[in-house]
Amino acid sequence: MKRAYKERFYPTEQQTELLAKSFGCARFVWNNTLKHRTDAYYERGESIAHSVLEKRLVPLKAEFEWLKEVSSVIFQQCLRDQQEAFKNFWDKRTKYPRFKSKHDRQSIRLTKAAFHYNDGQLFIAKSKEPLNVRWSRNLSSEPSSITISKDRAGRYFVSMLCEFESKPMPVTAKTVGIDLGLNNLFITDDGIKIDNPRHTKRYENKLAYLQRKLVKKKKGSKNRDKIRQKVARLHAKIADSRLDNLHKLSRKLINENQVICVESLAVKNMIRNPKLAKHIADASWGEFIRQLKYKAEWAGRTIAEIDRFFPSSKRCSSCGFVHESMPLNIRNWTCPECKTLQDRDINAAMNIRTVGLAGLV
């Protein structure tokens, strides 16, 4: 299996300048190539092959001499990433590729021709000093490729793709069904309710204050850039807190259960609801399920997904009676058939577990 190890690093002044040039050149090649492909299609109905675009790099570097100041591997990987973006677009998995902005997250990808790893030190092309990486763990193997990124808060990260051998965890007889929610992040079939931390709501007043200050600053001024950095750092803090909580919860579920039954939710469709969009995004259901899936694969566990249209909340887990409708404000209800008092969320988790396990037989 392959696994990415992401670590933070602190570049020197020379490396900061080199990375700034690398990010800028990669962004230029991406945008220039994207414009070239788009114009060719709309003007001549032509779809340009990837091999043609690779050959186009030679005259492009001759026209813009400053492109030669960084490794050419960056441009080759940039074109491969764009080709993959178009493939996803043609397969209707994503939208049309967008132009990149210098104000967004910056990143470059390097193969072994542009970096080398030796005894815990990582060197990149055009730099004589190793990156000052704050290692939190040992790599499972020598990286096959690395991605260097800079977020909007000004932090630098390196993600290293390595081969590793997963070790299945001891088999346990415990299974669980979980129902995702907003008041509680998720509820298990045995009645355990995990609170939703609501990280965005926790910092929304401070965020609103900083954003009000930001819009009052003159565009292009140093004061505006200082406030923009504060806003970016606060957004990064919210995102890091959310991810940390999700990693801890997903790891606990994987460690304790052999089979985890979940509902396959169309989060992209649900987030279109203007009243719930912010709360659904803050709960980050999609990221939580993603973490469960890859951790289950590593640990030899099973994730059983049930159909999103299964009436888990409207169906009585005791007798199987199904209500025609059940608004979100109804949190407890009594089954008209068996007279059982049901907690909406626990009942849904029990149904999800039952159907999920049945699908594995």
Side-chain angles (χ1 to χ4, degrees):
M1 293 185 181
K2 290 188 176 182
R3 176 178 180 177
Y5 294 82
K6 187 176 181 180
E7 305 287 357
R8 187 173 179 180
F9 73 95
Y10 299 85
T12 62
E13 290 185 7
Q14 184 266 338
Q15 290 171 344
T16 301
E17 183 180 354
L18 173 62
L19 291 174
K21 290 180 180 179
S22 301
F23 293 144
C25 291
R27 186 174 62 249
F28 172 80
V29 170
W30 173 282
N31 292 341
N32 184 278
T33 305
L34 181 58
K35 184 179 185 301
H36 180 69
R37 299 178 78 156
T38 304
D39 291 344
Y41 179 80
Y42 282 104
E43 294 174 4
R44 303 183 297 276
E46 181 184 356
S47 180
I48 304 178
H50 176 69
S51 58
V52 176
L53 295 173
E54 284 189 321
K55 294 177 182 178
R56 183 174 173 269
L57 282 176
V58 177
L60 196 65
K61 292 172 72 174
E63 181 180 357
F64 301 97
E65 291 287 336
W66 40 268
L67 289 177
K68 299 178 181 178
E69 297 180 10
V70 300
S71 173
S72 60
V73 174
I74 295 173
F75 308 138
Q76 296 165 5
Q77 296 303 315
C78 181
L79 294 183
R80 292 192 183 103
D81 290 341
Q82 189 171 115
Q83 183 66 18
E84 187 67 23
F86 270 98
K87 183 179 178 182
N88 291 333
F89 168 70
W90 292 326
D91 294 340
K92 298 182 179 180
R93 289 195 293 267
T94 59
K95 295 182 180 179
Y96 191 81
R98 298 184 301 174
F99 290 97
K100 294 188 175 182
S101 169
K102 65 180 181 180
H103 300 297
D104 293 333
R105 174 182 175 273
Q106 308 294 312
S107 68
I108 54 173
R109 192 155 61 93
L110 305 175
T111 56
K112 285 188 175 181
F115 80 90
H116 72 273
Y117 175 80
N118 184 24
D119 293 333
Q121 291 187 316
L122 186 64
F123 297 82
I124 61 174
K126 307 283 186 178
S127 177
K128 296 181 180 180
E129 298 182 61
L131 298 181
N132 182 19
V133 182
R134 296 298 174 88
W135 299 100
S136 62
R137 72 199 93 177
N138 295 324
L139 300 184
S140 56
S141 68
E142 186 174 337
S144 58
S145 68
I146 66 171
T147 299
I148 297 176
S149 61
K150 178 185 178 184
D151 66 9
R152 298 190 68 176
R155 302 179 301 177
Y156 291 85
F157 296 93
V158 56
S159 178
M160 295 151 286
L161 189 63
C162 304
E163 295 283 347
F164 90 109
E165 184 178 352
S166 61
K167 296 180 181 179
M169 300 181 68
V171 176
T172 175
K174 190 174 180 183
T175 61
V176 67
I178 61 174
D179 179 49
L180 302 175
L182 294 178
N183 291 329
N184 300 105
L185 187 59
F186 67 85
I187 301 90
T188 65
D189 60 280
D190 52 1
I192 298 176
K193 297 185 177 182
I194 305 299
D195 290 336
N196 184 0
R198 300 178 184 270
H199 298 289
T200 302
K201 186 176 180 61
R202 179 181 176 185
Y203 294 102
E204 66 179 357
N205 290 334
K206 184 176 181 180
L207 187 60
Y209 167 74
L210 290 175
Q211 288 173 331
R212 285 196 301 270
K213 291 185 67 176
L214 180 64
V215 297
K216 294 177 182 179
K217 301 299 180 182
K218 183 179 179 180
K219 289 187 177 180
S221 66
K222 291 185 178 180
N223 285 333
R224 181 182 175 87
D225 189 59
K226 289 179 182 179
I227 299 299
R228 186 193 62 78
Q229 282 285 324
K230 290 184 178 181
V231 173
R233 284 196 293 267
L234 185 56
H235 274 296
K237 183 176 183 179
I238 294 171
D240 290 346
S241 300
R242 184 187 299 118
L243 276 177
D244 179 68
N245 183 57
L246 293 178
H247 275 298
K248 290 176 179 177
L249 293 175
S250 60
R251 173 48 59 192
K252 182 176 174 63
L253 284 172
I254 292 296
N255 288 349
E256 295 178 354
N257 301 278
Q258 185 66 31
V259 180
I260 302 171
C261 305
V262 297
E263 196 171 9
S264 58
L265 300 175
V267 179
K268 287 185 178 180
N269 295 335
M270 299 173 69
I271 213 167
R272 293 174 183 171
N273 186 328
K275 294 183 179 179
L276 299 177
K278 183 173 73 171
H279 305 293
I280 293 174
D282 192 29
S284 200
W285 293 335
E287 173 63 18
F288 184 55
I289 298 300
R290 188 191 73 85
Q291 291 182 12
L292 285 175
K293 286 181 178 179
Y294 78 75
K295 290 177 182 179
E297 184 180 4
W298 292 349
R301 305 303 202 201
T302 302
I303 301 295
E305 288 188 279
I306 73 167
D307 188 82
R308 69 187 64 166
F309 298 109
F310 178 76
S312 58
S313 298
K314 298 185 290 184
R315 184 180 186 274
C316 176
S317 58
S318 299
C319 67
F321 175 81
V322 180
H323 274 278
E324 291 186 4
S325 64
M326 185 174 293
L328 286 174
N329 62 328
I330 298 178
R331 310 314 302 175
N332 296 278
W333 55 279
T334 302
C335 177
E337 290 289 334
C338 64
K339 308 302 179 184
T340 304
L341 179 63
Q342 300 284 11
D343 180 289
R344 179 195 182 103
D345 299 323
I346 298 176
N347 175 70
M350 294 174 68
N351 284 327
I352 290 171
R353 178 179 178 273
T354 301
V355 177
L357 293 178
L360 298 177
V361 177

